[in-house]
Structures are given as structure tokens and as C-alpha cells.
Amino acid sequence: MELAPDLERVLIPPEAIARRVEELASEIESDYAGERELLFVGVLKGAFIFLADLTRRVRLPHTVDFMAISSYGKASVSSGAVRILMDLREPVVNKHVILVEDIVDSGRTLAYLQETFNGRRPASLRTCVLVRKERERADVGIDYLGFTIPDVWVVGYGLDLAERFRTLPYIAEVKRSLYQK
Ligand code: IMP
Ligand code: MG
């Protein structure tokens, strides 16, 4: 596979992502079989590709909505605070919500979202995360997890580094010189 310059190595090739997404979709299908009000909430921007692939494989009636949040600055350094930049169009009361996130690093963003959604009284709340970094963090509940990766900065399949590399078909590690000053 042709590797873009600035990338160290491919961690998860496209075929492995596709296989895992299919498995996650099957799990969700059997867990929510018969449920009417299933709502997938994608967290922009990072989750847009994962959400699109996942939801197209879930053969159950469902709806999709988006939320945009910001917890980082333009580069890879955490600024700490989580902010809602764009909220859902409809209330989630009585809906079975699955929050779809691209990646869990410190776990702060997901914990914030879970707290926010629980306060909105959905019928149920679960989380589906494509990749989680292997590192110490506050225990954050992930119900459906794609992959666990080392604690490095990754891009592709929706993930970016300062808006670069988002639409690569694989998930790759960025060269350290790009994110460690
Ligand atoms: P957390 O709050 O530290 O778990 O960070 C979660 C958010 O940080 C994710 O939703 C991403 O937007 C961003 N993020 C963390 N690590 C990476 C990475 O390796 N690549 C791209 N984005 C990342
Ligand atoms: Mg994100």
C-alpha cells in the first residue's frame, strides 16, 4: 500500500476496518432486534466515515443525527475543556441512543457526552467507538469497541491531525516529529 509522506506506518488496513465494522453492526443488530426507536449520534467531525459505514450495515430501522464538539485545539494538544459546537435537531427522550465516536484517548470527551446524554433521558444509552488508545485513563464505558491501539497519534478513516489525512482509507500512525514538538 502506498503510504502518504509524514506517516510512520499503517496500523489498521481498510479490509480489517471493514471486517470489524461488519461485526459491530451484527452485534448491534442482535442487541437491538425489535427495537423501534434506535438513534445513532455521530460525533463530528471524526466519526463521519465510521458512522456512514456502520449505519449502512445495520439492517434495523434507525435514524441518524450529529453533534459537533470540540475538545482540542488545531493540533494534537489537549486544551482540556469540552464544548458543544452543534447540538442534535430532535430530543432523545424515549430513543435508544448509540453514541458513535472515532477515538477515545483520555476518555474525557466520551465521559462528558455520556453525562450530557444521560441528563436528556433517552430510553437507553450506549457507546460505539472505533479505536481506543491503550493508556491510563478515567474508566469510561465503551459498549462496542472496534480496536485498541498503542498511545500514538493516528489519522485516516475520519481521524485527522489539524484537518489533514481525514479521508485516507486506512488508520495510520503519524510520524512523531509532526505532533511532538
Ligand atoms: P479524549 O477526550 O482525550 O478521549 O479525546 C477524544 C478526541 O480527541 C477524539 O474524539 C478525537 O477528536 C481527538 N483525538 C484523540 N486522539 C486522536 C488521534 O490519535 N488522532 C486523531 N484525533 C484524536
Ligand atoms: Mg472525536
Side-chain angles (χ1 to χ4, degrees), residues 43-47 69-72 75-76 78 80 82 101-113 131 133 135 137 140 149-156 158-162 164 166 171-172 174 179:
V43 183
L44 295 173
K45 299 177 189 174
I69 53 139
S70 157
S71 54
Y72 288 81
S76 60
S78 171
V82 180
E101 252 286 44
D102 49 358
I103 189 165
V104 166
D105 186 352
S106 71
R108 236 179 299 137
T109 308
L110 195 62
Y112 170 84
L113 285 169
V131 288
K133 288 189 195 174
R135 51 174 265 183
R137 86 178 66 69
V140 59
I149 57 161
D151 188 10
V152 293
W153 197 265
V154 288
V155 294
L159 293 156
D160 72 309
L161 174 69
R164 291 178 68 200
R166 231 189 247 290
I171 291 177
V174 175
Y179 65 96

Side-chain angles (χ1 to χ4, degrees), residues 82-126:
V82 180
R83 267 189 321 136
I84 295 178
L85 302 176
M86 185 192 85
D87 212 333
L88 304 179
R89 299 281 183 97
E90 307 282 344
V92 298
V93 183
N94 297 330
K95 302 236 161 100
H96 292 280
V97 175
I98 301 182
L99 276 174
V100 180
E101 252 286 44
D102 49 358
I103 189 165
V104 166
D105 186 352
S106 71
R108 236 179 299 137
T109 308
L110 195 62
Y112 170 84
L113 285 169
Q114 283 174 317
E115 200 183 299
T116 303
F117 273 80
N118 276 322
R120 296 176 176 188
R121 311 216 159 274
S124 68
L125 179 67
R126 282 189 187 164

